[in-house]
Amino acid sequence: MENIGIMGGTFDPIHLGHLALAEAVRDELDLDKVIFVPTGEPPHKDNENLGSGEDRFYMTVLACKGNPYFEVSRIELDREGITYSVDTVKALKELYPADTKFYFILGADSLMELENWREPKTLMSLCSFTAVGRPGFKGKKVESQIKKLREKYKADIVYVEGIRLEISSTDIRTKIASGKSVRYIIPESISEYIENKGLYGFKPEFYPEMGVFKKKLKKELKPGRYIHTLGVAEEAVKLAEIFGEDKHKAYTAGLLHDCAKNFDTKRTFKFCEEYKVALDNILREQPDLIHSFLGAAVAEHEYGIKDGDTLNAIRYHTTGRADMSRLEEIVYLADMTEPNRTFYEGLDKIRELSYHNLKEAVAEALKQTINFNREKGRIVHPLSLEAFEFYKQFLREEII
C-alpha cells in the first residue's frame, strides 16, 4: 500500500515555501511521494492575473526536479472547465491501486473553509486530509474545526505544524514586475524560466544581462564565483533603491564586476596587452588585483558597456579610490557584503552601515581591508590608501 500526498495550488509561481512544506509533510507522515497538481481554471481565483497553465506546469516540474519523492501531474490542466478538488481526487484514485491512501495537503486556513468546497462530504470520504499550521490559524480554533469535521463527515484529518515560510506568490509577482530581487524565495531555475519567458511583467529591457550576459558569465566563471556575482548584482540593486541610484547601472556593474576574475594568467596578460590595460609594479606582483581593471576593459569590449560610471564601478571595486561616485561606492560595498559572502570579522558592521550611510560604510570597509592585507604581509595598493585618507573623515569613531 502506498501513502501519497496531494499538493494542489496555482503555483504562480511555485516557491520555496511550497517545496519546504511538501517535504516537511512527506517526512512527518512518511509518505511514499507527493504529487504536485497545478490548477487548471481555479474556481476561487478568477479575478487574478494568473500565468498560463503550461508555464505554471513547467515551472513546477523544474522546481521538483532532483527530489525523487516529488511528482507533477497535469490532471487538472488537461481537464476542461473549472477545476474542483473532488474531481481531482476521484481521477487520481482511478490511476492507483485501490489500497492507495491519499493525503490531501492544505493549510489550516483552507481547512476552515472546507465545507464550502464542491461536494465536501464526498471529498472527505475519498481521502485523508493533512492540515498544516498557518499564521492566525492554530490552537483551539483549528482543533475545534477538526473535531467538527470528524464528527459531521467522519473525516480523517492529520494536523502537521510544518515549516512556516511566509512567502506569497502574489508578492513574488509584484516584486518581479517592479524589478526587485526574488532570490532565495524561488529556485534559481524558476527565476531563469521567468526571465527567459518574460513572465509577471519582467522587463528584459531593464535587465538585458539576464539573457546574453548571464549565459556568457556562466561559461567564464567558476560556479561559486557566478553565484557570488549574482549576489553582488542583487545587493547593488538593493543599495541603489535605498540611495536613489540608477538600478540598471547598479545591476550591470554588479553582474560584470568579476567578469575577468577566472581568466588564467596567460589570458589575463594577453587581454591586458590587447585592451591596453596599464599594469603598475604592484599589479604585476599581485596579479589577483588585475581582474578589476581588466574587467572594466572586458565589460566595454566584450559586453558592450559604454557608460563611464558603470565601467569605473567595475574598475575600482577591489581597490576603491578617493571620492568615488555613488555607484562606485555601491558596487564596492555590494562586493564585500552580498549574502553569499563567507563570514569575516566586521562583515555585519559594514553591512549594517551600508544600508544607512554609504561613505561611512566605505570608510569602515577600507579600514578593515587595509588592516587585513597588512596583517597578511600583502602590499596595499596606493589607490586603497588614497581612498582611506579621503573616506576616514566619515568615520564616527576614532581611527586607531
Side-chain angles (χ1 to χ4, degrees), residues 24-44:
V25 171
R26 185 201 67 77
D27 186 56
E28 180 73 18
L29 301 182
D30 195 24
L31 301 179
D32 293 287
K33 64 181 173 182
V34 176
I35 301 175
F36 286 74
V37 186
T39 56
E41 183 183 342
H44 306 299

Side-chain angles (χ1 to χ4, degrees), residues 41-82:
E41 183 183 342
H44 306 299
K45 298 204 172 188
D46 38 306
N47 292 324
E48 289 194 23
N49 181 25
L50 302 176
S52 74
E54 291 302 312
D55 284 325
R56 292 185 289 112
F57 171 74
Y58 285 118
M59 284 190 286
T60 307
V61 170
L62 286 171
C64 294
K65 187 177 181 181
N67 188 326
Y69 300 106
F70 287 177
E71 291 184 8
V72 185
S73 171
R74 296 184 56 92
I75 199 164
E76 290 196 0
L77 292 169
D78 293 339
R79 184 188 305 140
E80 294 183 1
I82 292 176

Side-chain angles (χ1 to χ4, degrees), residues 114-251:
L114 190 55
E115 287 186 285
N116 297 324
W117 290 20
R118 172 66 65 93
E119 301 180 37
K121 183 176 181 179
T122 301
L123 177 59
M124 282 182 262
S125 71
L126 293 172
C127 64
S128 298
F129 284 82
T130 302
V132 182
R134 294 290 298 274
F137 296 91
K138 58 182 180 178
K140 293 182 178 180
K141 187 175 183 181
V142 176
E143 290 174 5
S144 177
Q145 177 69 355
I146 291 175
K147 181 180 179 181
K148 173 186 173 182
L149 295 175
R150 283 172 176 167
E151 292 176 351
K152 186 174 181 179
Y153 300 98
K154 296 182 179 179
D156 180 16
I157 303 173
V158 179
Y159 181 79
V160 176
E161 188 61 30
I163 294 177
R164 298 188 184 185
L165 298 180
E166 299 309 310
I167 302 174
S168 162
S169 291
T170 301
D171 290 343
I172 291 172
R173 295 195 297 271
T174 300
K175 285 178 177 290
I176 292 170
S178 59
K180 293 184 178 179
S181 171
V182 291
R183 199 167 187 205
Y184 306 119
I185 301 176
I186 60 177
E188 184 178 346
S189 59
I190 307 306
S191 180
E192 291 182 354
Y193 185 91
I194 291 169
E195 294 159 10
N196 291 334
K197 297 281 288 188
L199 301 180
Y200 311 127
F202 177 79
K203 302 175 179 63
E205 69 275 11
F206 184 76
Y207 292 133
E209 307 81 358
M210 288 291 191
V212 177
F213 288 8
K214 285 176 69 174
K215 287 180 181 178
K216 184 175 176 64
L217 286 169
K218 271 188 175 181
K219 295 178 180 178
E220 293 286 0
L221 301 177
K222 297 176 181 178
R225 182 59 52 180
Y226 179 68
I227 291 173
H228 164 72
T229 291
L230 296 180
V232 173
E234 292 173 4
E235 187 69 15
V237 169
K238 187 188 299 183
L239 294 174
E241 289 177 338
I242 294 173
F243 295 102
E245 186 53 77
D246 188 306
K247 292 189 295 183
H248 183 203
K249 290 183 180 180
Y251 189 90

Side-chain angles (χ1 to χ4, degrees), residues 277-291:
V277 177
L279 300 178
D280 55 34
N281 291 333
I282 295 177
L283 292 180
R284 292 185 181 278
E285 289 184 39
Q286 294 184 186
D288 187 54
L289 293 175
I290 295 176
H291 77 275

Side-chain angles (χ1 to χ4, degrees), residues 93-111:
K93 286 180 74 69
E94 291 178 1
L95 296 175
Y96 287 85
D99 61 351
T100 302
K101 186 170 183 178
F102 289 96
Y103 290 83
F104 196 103
I105 304 169
L106 76 172
D109 53 341
S110 296
L111 184 71

